[in-house]
Amino acid sequence: MRNASLRKLTVGTVAAGLLLTGCGTTAEGGSASGGGTQEGPVTGLRVLVPNSPGSGYDTTARALAQVAEEEELAERIEVFNLEGAGGTVGLQRLVNETGNADMLMQMGLGVVGAQYSNQSEATLEQTTPIARLIEEAEAIVVPADSPFQTIDDLVAAWKADPGNTPVGGASNPGGPDHLTPMLLAQEVGVTPTSVNYVAYDGGGELLAGILGGDVAFAATGIGEVTEPAASGDVRILAVTSEEPVEGVDAPTLTESGVDLTFTNWRGIVAAPDITPEEAQRHIDLITQVHDSEAWQQELEDQGWTDSFVTGDEFGSFLDEESQRVQGVLSELGLT
């Protein structure tokens, strides 16, 4: 890996999917980014979520759409799910929508890694970068009835028998939920190639796997398990941020004696070959959402860290992340 430390890594985060329209249906006759000056709320906008309902991507996209509508910046945004292959089924769909300025895709670090692990023909390099939105800590989580009460308990069992201590995540290889246990394994003395990693297609499926006892523990975005933890269904053993997460009763890994911090991120890309003016209209819309008090409240409620950048700056970040993920996978012996 080029200029990043494995012990302190900040990478920031196939079938037709289930169509959900939690924020309304597509407006008839409107255009999110058509020619001419946009007057009044944006209409006709669709946001593709490339994994399952209940996932971090899904939560972020629906929160973004809800704020845009509440602030009267947009009307009847359609948010829909298209699952598969760590997000690359959705990525292929977006790439196939070349020139369609009415479609955006919610994405993040997981899709960056899935390009490589799934040898995807469609790549993020083909898309139009719009904005990076948030960063989020990962959580190390176990079922409520797990015998592991602390990260030390988990690590002891994991080191003794990694093959029979399966870890789940809502990422394909190269995504945040995969990189987190792999880097944790390296740090605590478990050979990364011996880790029994079970990939789920989204946070909803992962939570079912945790609650069903299909995995001994999981790594996932903190926002996906705060409610199950609060209700007593799961227990968070540690978080991967530098500082404790407000409202979460769990230490950081570093506080637990494990020298590892890690941050996931999420952003928005558009279809290939839209015009600069169309891209700018998307950037303007997302910027207005970002600057609203409602979005700042959403960040606080979800435990997300603001990491807003747009356009070319976000595009450069995506290029750097692609190189970084390739390097991590290679250095861990996973490619």
Side-chain angles (χ1 to χ4, degrees):
M1 193 170 56
R2 296 183 177 179
N3 295 315
S5 164
L6 286 171
R7 286 183 166 77
K8 185 173 176 124
L9 181 64
T10 303
V11 255
T13 353
V14 186
L18 176 65
L19 181 67
L20 295 178
T21 55
C23 297
T25 58
T26 304
E28 295 292 336
S31 175
S33 305
T37 302
Q38 178 70 42
E39 295 183 1
V42 169
T43 61
L45 185 61
R46 308 181 75 208
V47 181
L48 189 164
V49 175
N51 58 11
S52 63
S55 66
Y57 290 163
D58 188 72
T59 301
T60 307
R62 293 181 189 280
L64 189 76
Q66 181 175 340
V67 171
E69 292 181 356
E70 289 176 350
E71 296 293 307
E72 299 183 347
L73 301 170
E75 294 180 347
R76 299 185 297 279
I77 298 175
E78 180 186 355
V79 180
F80 69 103
N81 300 75
L82 183 61
E83 306 172 41
T88 55
V89 171
L91 178 60
Q92 184 67 66
R93 168 66 184 278
L94 184 70
V95 168
N96 289 347
E97 296 282 340
T98 295
N100 180 0
D102 289 337
M103 184 176 290
L104 300 175
M105 187 178 83
Q106 179 71 62
M107 49 74 70
L109 178 58
V111 179
V112 175
Q115 298 174 109
Y116 304 114
S117 60
N118 291 303
Q119 299 180 334
S120 173
E121 291 185 6
T123 67
L124 287 168
E125 187 176 7
Q126 296 169 275
T127 67
T128 303
I130 301 300
R132 187 182 69 195
L133 298 171
I134 63 161
E135 292 181 344
E136 180 183 48
E138 290 274 299
I140 307 299
V141 62
V142 296
D145 60 357
S146 170
F148 307 133
Q149 297 294 318
T150 67
I151 195 72
D152 287 341
D153 295 341
L154 170 61
V155 166
W158 199 21
K159 291 173 70 173
D161 193 357
N164 286 318
T165 312
V167 52
S171 298
N172 275 28
D177 295 358
H178 172 255
L179 291 175
T180 296
M182 294 302 168
L183 294 168
L184 178 60
Q186 186 182 61
E187 184 60 39
V188 301
V190 175
T191 303
T193 52
S194 71
V195 172
N196 181 2
Y197 178 75
V198 182
Y200 292 83
D201 209 353
E205 292 183 13
L206 174 61
L207 181 60
I210 297 169
L211 298 179
D214 298 328
V215 292
F217 71 106
T220 190
I222 187 68
E224 298 188 41
V225 289
T226 49
E227 289 187 11
S231 65
D233 294 324
V234 302
R235 184 166 58 253
I236 300 174
L237 300 184
V239 294
T240 64
S241 49
E242 291 188 10
E243 301 293 334
V245 176
E246 185 175 353
V248 175
D249 184 20
T252 66
L253 284 172
T254 53
E255 288 176 328
S256 302
V258 180
D259 186 17
L260 174 66
T261 60
F262 183 91
T263 308
N264 186 17
W265 59 268
R266 299 190 193 112
I268 296 284
V269 294
D273 297 333
I274 64 174
T275 69
E277 293 77 16
E278 289 165 340
Q280 188 60 50
R281 277 190 280 273
H282 287 312
I283 291 170
D284 291 345
L285 171 63
I286 302 301
T287 299
Q288 287 178 289
V289 171
H290 167 266
D291 291 346
S292 70
E293 291 184 9
W295 180 253
Q296 297 309 308
Q297 185 63 52
E298 196 70 40
L299 295 176
E300 182 177 337
D301 292 345
Q302 296 287 350
W304 295 334
T305 299
D306 192 2
S307 63
F308 191 63
V309 296
T310 63
D312 290 342
E313 186 176 356
F314 180 44
S316 296
F317 173 79
L318 284 177
D319 292 341
E320 293 167 2
E321 289 297 86
S322 293
Q323 295 176 10
R324 195 186 304 255
V325 168
Q326 281 185 300
V328 171
L329 293 174
S330 177
E331 191 157 341
L332 295 178
L334 300 172
T335 58

